[in-house]
Amino acid sequence: MMANPLQSVADLRMSEGHELSKDVIRAHVRIIEDALASPGNAYTPGEAQHNELLFGAALGNYRLQEYRKARSHAMMLVNLDPTNSNAQDLLASIKEAINRDGKVGLAIVGGLAVGAAALIAMLKK
């Protein structure tokens, strides 16, 4: 029996605020993305079910911290349905997470550079 991608979206939506394991989220995302990528699928871009799959793919990838994939799906959805406030909110959250991760990454790199410079200075003495 083939998994139902719309049920996977519903499961992801209903679990917000509750912890699902990364493996369970990953399985749902795989089902959803396979349905979106399947040639000849029954989901027409811009129609409600297709939009729901895009939202589910964005939400699942966001929860997996796969922010670039999440942003891609959310942007596709916002382009197809600019009035979708859930998609706009999710896209804003994704962008915040990308910015936050980028700042943390820069702080780590900066800290490593300072540490390396201090070590070199100590070794030269």
Side-chain angles (χ1 to χ4, degrees):
M1 181 177 153
M2 187 175 154
N4 182 339
L6 293 171
Q7 184 61 51
S8 286
V9 175
D11 291 347
L12 287 172
R13 280 181 177 271
M14 290 177 57
S15 68
E16 284 189 89
H18 305 288
E19 283 302 312
L20 282 182
S21 74
K22 298 279 186 188
D23 289 337
V24 170
I25 296 170
R26 199 170 284 110
H28 284 306
V29 169
R30 189 175 311 115
I31 291 166
I32 295 164
E33 288 180 340
D34 286 351
L36 285 167
S38 175
N41 70 41
Y43 306 107
T44 304
E47 290 185 358
Q49 289 182 330
H50 182 265
N51 291 355
E52 188 68 5
L53 292 178
L54 284 174
F55 183 83
L59 177 62
N61 278 298
Y62 173 73
R63 292 179 67 189
L64 290 171
Q65 297 177 335
E66 296 285 342
Y67 299 130
R68 301 222 185 299
K69 286 175 73 174
R71 182 178 60 188
S72 175
H73 290 298
M75 288 178 69
M76 280 190 264
L77 178 52
V78 168
N79 286 334
L80 289 169
D81 185 4
T83 63
N84 187 322
S85 61
N86 287 331
Q88 292 173 354
D89 292 345
L90 180 56
L91 184 57
S93 294
I94 293 165
K95 288 179 178 180
E96 286 175 22
I98 289 170
N99 287 338
R100 182 178 57 245
D101 279 6
K103 289 176 184 172
V104 168
L106 286 176
I108 291 170
V109 169
L112 290 173
V114 168
L119 180 61
I120 291 170
M122 286 176 44
L123 292 174
K124 286 185 175 182
K125 287 185 178 184

